[in-house]
Amino acid sequence: MLISMMSEPELQQGVGEPDGFRRLWTPHRMAYIQGENKPTGPAPDDGCPFCSIPKLSDEDGLIVARGSAVFAVLNLYPYNGGHLMVVPYRHVADYTDLDEDETAELAVFTKHAMTALRAASGAHGFNIGMNQGAAAGAGIAAHLHQHVVPRWGGDTNFMPVVGHTKVLPQLLADTRKMLAEVWPQG
C-alpha cells in the first residue's frame, strides 16, 4: 500500500505534539540498546552468545553454515538485510589469536558468505570487517567475529540518514533459510 507523503499526519494520543513524522516502531532493538544477553565478562562462561549459539539448532541460532573451525550466523541487529558474521568456535578476542586453520577457514567462509549473498539477494557490494576491542567498537569484544554486510546501489536512503531507522524487509529466519540454501559446498 502506497502512503501519500502529502496526507495530513494522523493524530496520535499520548505521543506528544502531532508532527509530520510517521513512526516505525522497532521494539526488538531495545534488547540491543539495553545490553540484553551481552556477556558479563571476557570468559566463555560469562554469557558469550558466540559460544552458546553453536549449541543451538541452525534455525534457532540463525546459523547459515558450519565449518570445522568457524560458523556463519546472521546478526540479530543487522545493518542491512543478510548481515552475516563469521565466528570461530574457539573463544578468542583478537585476530592474531587465531591459529592457521581458523584463519584459513574464516577467509573461506567470508568468500562463501559473499557468494551466497550475491546469489540470494543480488548484493552489489560488501562492507567486511572486524572491530577489535571495545575501543574500536566491538559490541562483544571477547569473542572475535567478522562482519559481512551486503550493500546495494542506493541502499542508503532517507530512513537511516534522516529517520535513524533501518528498514529490513525480511524476517531473520527467512533470511537464514534463503542463505543456507545457496551456501557454497566445499
Side-chain angles (χ1 to χ4, degrees), residues 75 79-80 82-87 95 103 105-118 123-132 136 144-152 155 183:
N75 191 321
Y79 297 131
N80 258 349
H83 178 171
L84 289 167
M85 295 176 292
V86 180
V87 185
Y95 185 71
T103 303
E105 194 170 62
L106 188 132
V108 169
F109 262 54
T110 300
K111 290 171 66 174
H112 286 344
M114 294 172 66
T115 300
L117 285 161
R118 282 188 179 121
H124 298 152
F126 298 90
N127 292 116
I128 298 173
M130 299 177 203
N131 300 322
Q132 294 284 275
L144 177 79
H145 53 285
Q146 176 157 274
H147 295 267
V148 181
V149 182
R151 301 300 305 267
W152 297 269
D155 72 359
W183 191 266

Side-chain angles (χ1 to χ4, degrees), residues 2 6 10 12 14 35 40 52-53 65 70 74 98-99 102 118 122 131 133 147 159 169 179 183 185:
L2 185 61
M6 302 303 286
E10 180 182 330
Q12 298 179 34
T40 57
S52 62
I53 288 170
V70 304
L74 289 177
L98 295 177
D99 65 30
E102 290 165 329
R118 282 188 179 121
N131 300 322
H147 295 267
M159 293 302 290
L179 291 173
W183 191 266
Q185 301 303 310

Side-chain angles (χ1 to χ4, degrees), residues 21 32 38 59 65 84 86-87 98 100 117 128 143 160 165 172 178:
F21 293 104
Y32 176 76
K38 193 163 184 167
E59 291 77 13
L84 289 167
V86 180
V87 185
L98 295 177
E100 288 184 30
L117 285 161
I128 298 173
H143 197 133
T165 301
L172 289 175
M178 179 181 67

